[in-house]
Amino acid sequence: MANLIELLPDKVANQIAAGEVVQRPASAIKELMENAIDAGATDVSLIVRDGGKTLIQIIDNGCGMGETDARLCFSRHATSKIKQAKDLFDLHTMGFRGEALASIAAIAQVTLKTRTEDQDIGTQIIIEGGEVKSQEACATAKGTSIEVKNLFYNVPARRNFLKSVKAEMRYILEEFQRIVLSHPEISFSMFHNDNETHRLPKSTFRQRIVNLFGTRYNQRLAPVDEETDIVKISGFLGKPEFAKKTRGEQFFFVNNRFIKSSYLHHAINNAMEGMLQSELHPSYFLFLDVAPDSIDVNIHPTKTEIKFEDEKSIYAILRSTIRRSLGQYNIAPSLDFEINHDYDVSPMVDNKEIRQPVIHVDPNYNPFDTSEPKENKTRSDQSFSSQLRSAGVDRPNSQNNHEHWESIYKGTEEVSFAPNENYATQTKLEEGPDNGNENHHKPIYQMHNKYIMSHLKSGFLIVDQQRAHERILFEKFLLSIKNDKALSQQLLFPQTVLLSPSDLALLKELQEDIEALGFDISEFGENSIEVHGIPYDTPTGELQQIMEDLLEQYKHHTSEAKLDRREQIAKSMAKSLSIKTGKNLSDQEMHKLIDELFACEQPNISPNGKTAVITLSLEELSKRFEL
Ligand code: ADP
Ligand code: MG
């Protein structure tokens, strides 16, 4: 019988292995950066073009390779990191499988330049699709530079599988963040299409987090520190009041290697129970150090999952450590950060002072009085219009001032946002609240700082204030998008918003969309933008939060369609800017809200499809009283 079994040629074996090791540019970058770290580099640069699809280059100042090693490193199972099977259980390096370079070279065009300290002249090797094209001596700095061009050029099916540049960049940033966080002692930089997106000097861990995610993180971090026989835990926890709506920064490093673990994540959630609203996610940056022989890192090909020998104890220790640190951070300020100590203020001072709630009663208020309502200073003090005023915008109540405020807002000629011209007809059609000025004299009530009740000709209506305002803002934003002319209010004093380099890069991509909604932004510094104008009706004090919310939303929204994307942004902005449940409103504010709501195309539902208005007719009411 003929022999059927053949050994696969190396080239084929490498291509198959590449499928496991290299799924996309980000995974190649991870492998190459880990190699640079294993080589003892103190400075690593990453250069990327077109989301890594056309070029990935990593330059390090590590130990470099001699001529023979330079050639050998592209062979399968070529590694300098383990010599015997038992070494597997005592690993201190990132890589050890000896297949990354072989795999990458099998599916790309690779140029390697490398030189060791004691060589005068380096080695250059060009290898494409696993075939060495040339090897020659070259002049190069000590260390290694690897250029990987046109990933998957010879595997069209895989190349087509790559996502948009933006999406690939997101994967790359994710890997980059994991690596730079686990090595604050190394300086890193990153360039995308010739723009420097990150420059991270060697620093402490805390500074690395701050450099990576933005200065504002300094006050958000609570230190975590615990040492037991089984595990040593260190790092930082995001204080609960800064928790995010979408999963943000959640990093576990076990023996300096990023890992994903829903089990450990659960321990943190469990420790924070009661401190976080259910829809919020905690941030954490935690290092767990355990004896190398008590874990098995080899169970997953991309090595982001591991198995602990003593999982249960680690869970319990982690949970109690987090609890303790949460209990402490309020009183014990962190002393870790050498610069800018004074940033680290207690969140109590930082947010707002806590006051006993005060009930304001207007002794002159007469619900049956039909004369023009007087402005009530006490009531409108906390109002939405006072927020506008503090934003440098004087919001008049009547149309008489129309001319005056038109000059404040840009773009008002094209898009009218004043009590809508359609208002009269619309409300009649829908039998909304009574028309015209008369409406403002009707009694209006707020219940539980959540619902607004008002009269209709033939009954009454109840409005959910937050959903209603979301609807109003959403339609306003949609109109801006449709007309490509946003309603913008210019700020008297431009405001600076701090952003991490990666958020800044994201914002640049989104700038056009965000400006279509009325923001007027210019880039200001390395980690900040300057906002000159904001959409009409935006309270300025919350700009930092608004921008962060917007970017958060966007990170988790995958649609590439421009219009859909803008609608999504409009929705999320309407949500974060809306008057919230719990806010006490003045009569004028309630009237305005209802006026504007019934000028909307779909006043009855919130942008997310929830009921915003309930009406009850007199007929229905009397039926109920029949019994
Ligand atoms: P592994 O990292 O698992 O050993 P790789 O295929 O990633 O396998 O690398 C093969 C070998 O090439 C490494 O063990 C190391 O000796 C050498 N090498 C790779 N990258 C570098 C680098 N940047 N500097 C020095 N040596 C390197
Ligand atoms: Mg490696």
Side-chain angles (χ1 to χ4, degrees):
M1 190 174 133
N3 291 331
L4 297 179
I5 297 179
E6 275 180 56
L7 279 175
L8 285 177
D10 260 4
K11 218 175 125 180
V12 181
N14 285 337
Q15 273 205 15
I16 295 170
E20 249 193 27
V21 183
V22 188
Q23 288 94 29
R24 49 178 14 101
S27 34
I29 286 170
K30 170 180 187 279
E31 293 292 337
L32 297 174
M33 288 184 70
E34 287 184 348
N35 280 348
I37 293 165
D38 285 345
T42 57
D43 185 52
V44 180
S45 302
L46 166 64
I47 298 164
V48 173
R49 250 180 227 290
D50 306 318
K53 293 190 217 182
T54 53
L55 174 79
I56 294 165
Q57 183 175 14
I58 278 133
I59 304 168
D60 70 56
N61 64 352
C63 65
M65 285 177 270
E67 215 181 314
T68 319
D69 279 358
R71 182 74 179 237
L72 254 181
C73 73
F74 291 109
S75 312
R76 224 153 116 70
H77 306 306
T79 179
S80 54
K81 298 165 196 171
I82 50 173
K83 301 226 156 37
Q84 320 170 26
K86 79 170 175 42
D87 294 347
L88 266 178
F89 300 97
D90 190 24
L91 271 172
H92 296 282
T93 55
M94 310 292 283
F96 57 86
R97 292 163 163 260
E99 50 187 18
L101 287 183
S103 301
I104 293 168
I107 44 120
Q109 298 159 332
V110 177
T111 303
L112 166 80
K113 285 185 191 173
T114 186
R115 182 169 73 79
T116 59
E117 178 120 61
D118 50 8
Q119 286 177 308
D120 295 327
I121 196 97
T123 310
Q124 172 179 298
I125 292 179
I126 298 179
I127 176 165
E128 293 182 9
E131 272 174 39
V132 178
K133 297 284 174 193
S134 75
Q135 170 164 3
E136 55 200 41
C138 76
T140 183
K142 181 216 152 198
T144 304
S145 149
I146 295 195
E147 239 181 69
V148 178
K149 287 191 203 142
N150 305 321
L151 207 65
F152 299 127
Y153 80 105
N154 54 352
V155 200
R158 312 265 340 250
R159 191 163 175 88
N160 295 338
F161 181 71
L162 292 180
K163 296 191 181 162
S164 67
V165 168
K166 244 184 281 178
E168 292 301 338
M169 267 327 274
R170 241 172 284 157
Y171 287 112
I172 292 173
L173 269 173
E174 210 172 75
E175 288 296 351
F176 185 78
Q177 287 176 349
R178 293 169 182 176
I179 291 173
V180 302
L181 281 174
S182 55
H183 293 280
E185 77 288 359
I186 298 176
S187 63
F188 290 94
S189 55
M190 174 167 159
F191 297 80
H192 184 223
N193 293 343
D194 296 327
N195 294 320
E196 186 177 71
T197 60
H198 292 77
R199 174 163 294 274
L200 304 166
K202 162 182 187 258
S203 62
T204 62
F205 182 46
R206 188 182 186 117
Q207 280 172 313
R208 177 57 51 95
I209 298 174
V210 169
N211 287 337
L212 190 60
F213 295 109
T215 323
R216 64 190 191 283
Y217 270 75
N218 199 22
Q219 53 162 313
R220 299 184 176 185
L221 302 173
V224 176
D225 230 326
E226 178 67 274
E227 193 161 357
T228 68
D229 288 346
I230 302 173
V231 58
K232 177 177 179 297
I233 301 173
S234 62
F236 296 94
L237 184 70
K239 294 176 186 171
E241 63 269 35
F242 297 110
K244 297 196 170 180
K245 285 190 200 104
T246 44
R247 252 164 218 270
E249 291 76 35
Q250 300 183 337
F251 298 91
F252 280 121
F253 301 94
V254 175
N255 292 1
N256 241 18
R257 186 190 301 275
F258 173 82
I259 61 131
K260 284 184 193 148
S261 166
S262 45
Y263 187 68
L264 294 183
H265 176 75
H266 191 269
I268 294 191
N269 270 340
N270 190 310
M272 293 180 94
E273 219 170 72
M275 296 180 126
L276 283 186
Q277 289 165 21
S278 59
E279 74 273 22
L280 297 183
H281 298 281
S283 309
Y284 48 82
F285 310 84
L286 294 175
F287 286 89
L288 278 71
D289 284 311
V290 294
D293 60 1
S294 73
I295 49 170
D296 182 1
V297 284
N298 209 7
I299 57 167
H300 194 272
T302 49
K303 295 171 278 180
T304 53
E305 279 162 28
I306 60 167
K307 237 162 101 170
F308 293 96
E309 211 173 68
D310 196 356
E311 218 171 38
K312 286 210 177 94
S313 311
I314 292 187
Y315 182 100
I317 296 169
L318 180 61
R319 191 182 52 186
S320 67
T321 306
I322 297 298
R323 285 225 174 113
R324 208 162 42 86
S325 140
L326 280 171
Q328 273 178 349
Y329 81 81
N330 258 345
I331 24 172
S334 154
L335 299 173
D336 172 280
F337 202 36
E338 294 91 314
I339 321 167
N340 292 339
H341 276 300
D342 32 82
Y343 274 122
D344 214 309
V345 280
S346 146
M348 293 303 200
V349 182
D350 187 53
N351 275 355
K352 37 183 110 78
E353 88 185 71
I354 295 178
R355 276 195 234 147
Q356 190 93 28
V358 185
I359 301 166
H360 297 289
V361 181
D362 177 2
N364 300 321
Y365 179 64
N366 175 359
F368 304 106
D369 183 4
T370 50
S371 63
E372 186 73 0
K374 291 183 205 88
E375 175 143 20
N376 182 330
K377 271 271 173 286
T378 348
R379 284 196 195 196
S380 57
D381 250 351
Q382 304 162 302
S383 75
F384 169 59
S385 42
S386 75
Q387 284 182 334
L388 268 180
R389 236 173 280 130
S390 69
V393 179
D394 207 356
R395 185 81 215 284
N397 303 314
S398 76
Q399 264 181 292
N400 302 345
N401 289 331
H402 205 152
E403 283 156 9
H404 163 68
W405 39 296
E406 244 181 4
S407 63
I408 301 174
Y409 308 107
K410 277 204 309 195
T412 46
E413 322 79 71
E414 273 76 16
V415 190
S416 158
F417 57 88
N420 198 306
E421 306 96 308
N422 299 333
Y423 168 73
T425 41
Q426 283 252 343
T427 42
K428 257 184 221 143
L429 279 178
E430 309 209 357
E431 224 219 331
D434 293 348
N435 197 356
N437 269 340
E438 232 180 275
N439 178 41
H440 293 251
H441 304 155
K442 293 277 181 205
I444 192 161
Y445 312 99
Q446 188 182 27
M447 289 191 308
H448 300 288
N449 286 347
K450 181 169 186 182
Y451 300 111
I452 300 170
M453 284 176 67
S454 178
H455 283 229
L456 287 177
K457 271 182 194 144
S458 55
F460 67 93
L461 88 175
I462 308 173
V463 172
D464 180 309
Q465 64 187 46
Q466 175 164 352
R467 291 180 185 176
H469 198 222
E470 277 179 31
R471 162 57 57 186
I472 294 165
L473 292 177
F474 179 61
E475 291 205 3
K476 218 171 259 179
F477 292 142
L478 280 188
L479 199 66
S480 309
I481 293 169
K482 209 173 93 203
N483 295 3
D484 230 350
K485 183 96 189 181
L487 303 176
S488 180
Q489 62 192 40
Q490 289 297 298
L491 299 177
L492 287 181
F493 304 102
Q495 278 207 15
T496 305
V497 172
L498 299 175
L499 293 173
S500 64
S502 52
D503 279 357
L504 198 65
L506 193 66
L507 190 93
K508 267 190 218 159
E509 281 173 30
L510 279 182
Q511 190 166 356
E512 205 189 315
D513 295 336
I514 290 180
E515 287 185 342
L517 295 173
F519 282 104
D520 179 3
I521 311 171
S522 67
E523 202 180 336
F524 183 54
E526 224 176 290
N527 293 321
S528 61
I529 52 162
E530 197 165 86
V531 182
H532 299 275
I534 56 178
Y536 161 70
D537 260 5
T538 315
T540 39
E542 289 153 33
L543 264 182
Q544 177 79 38
Q545 196 55 46
I546 291 161
M547 284 294 167
E548 280 176 33
D549 279 357
L550 262 181
L551 293 170
E552 274 293 305
Q553 287 278 344
Y554 183 76
K555 278 179 210 164
H556 298 264
H557 182 65
T558 44
S559 171
E560 306 279 336
K562 190 164 146 191
L563 212 65
D564 182 33
R565 204 172 63 207
R566 289 189 175 180
E567 204 178 298
Q568 189 63 29
I569 292 176
K571 238 184 233 178
S572 90
M573 227 164 66
K575 196 171 173 100
S576 66
L577 298 182
S578 60
I579 294 174
K580 301 291 182 303
T581 298
K583 185 162 180 66
N584 180 248
L585 299 176
S586 71
D587 284 8
Q588 282 162 2
E589 286 166 337
M590 288 192 268
H591 280 301
K592 174 174 176 277
L593 194 86
I594 289 189
D595 283 354
E596 291 191 352
L597 179 66
F598 283 94
C600 286
E601 278 183 21
Q602 288 184 285
N604 294 325
I605 51 166
S606 78
N608 293 315
K610 302 237 172 80
T611 305
V613 181
I614 295 173
T615 50
L616 258 183
S617 66
L618 288 174
E619 226 169 81
E620 277 173 280
L621 260 187
S622 51
K623 258 190 205 154
R624 292 201 159 203
F625 281 111
E626 267 167 22
L627 297 172

